[in-house]
Amino acid sequence: MAISTAVVGGKGLLGAFFATLLVIVFFASGQFALDRLTRNNPQMMMAAGLLVYTTQILLVAVVLAVFKRTTLFDTKVFGFTLLGCALIWTAFQVRGAMKAKIYYVQPDASESKADKPGDSGRQQ
């Protein structure tokens, strides 16, 4: 926002502010929706993630189409800030997913040695 204010002025600041606000609102609500969709059915994570992300991009496209010819703020600053913030948000989501310790095998602690399939009741 500081760079856009220095380069373009007040309209640049307003465009950068609206773009930042738009990314925060759309992507945070998408994260909330994804959490709600996959809370009871984690197997749907990939499909729900794709649906949420596609919906977010379509909503951003609608907003861009609506404000294409506005004189309220600088549309170039708005577009570049929107792109930059969306890429930063996505990069931090990827980083968070890479750092998360998500087990792909669920250990079953209730199963004892005698109950394992290979032992079938043999006594030692």
Side-chain angles (χ1 to χ4, degrees):
M1 284 192 243
I3 294 171
S4 61
T5 304
V7 173
V8 180
K11 287 192 175 197
L13 174 65
L14 201 55
F17 175 74
F18 283 146
T20 305
L21 187 67
L22 181 76
V23 167
I24 290 172
V25 168
F26 278 6
F27 282 73
S29 62
Q31 189 70 33
F32 177 75
L34 187 62
D35 181 49
R36 297 286 296 178
L37 285 170
T38 61
R39 182 174 295 161
N40 294 330
N41 196 2
Q43 296 84 4
M44 295 296 296
M45 177 65 91
M46 191 61 75
L50 184 61
L51 175 70
V52 166
Y53 189 71
T54 304
T55 305
Q56 288 171 341
I57 297 302
L58 288 174
L59 287 174
V60 167
V62 167
V63 169
L64 287 173
V66 167
F67 288 111
K68 182 167 53 171
R69 302 208 192 283
T70 188
T71 58
L72 180 63
F73 51 80
D74 191 321
T75 55
K76 286 184 181 180
V77 169
F78 179 76
F80 282 123
T81 305
L82 185 73
L83 178 64
C85 288
L87 290 175
I88 290 169
W89 185 284
T90 304
F92 274 100
Q93 274 189 322
V94 169
R95 183 182 182 275
M98 297 299 283
K99 294 286 184 179
K101 292 183 177 13
I102 300 172
Y103 297 110
Y104 57 91
V105 175
Q106 296 293 328
D108 190 13
S110 65
E111 191 175 271
S112 68
K113 279 190 168 186
D115 293 339
K116 289 194 178 180
D119 293 337
S120 67
R122 276 189 287 155
Q123 293 198 358
Q124 297 177 355

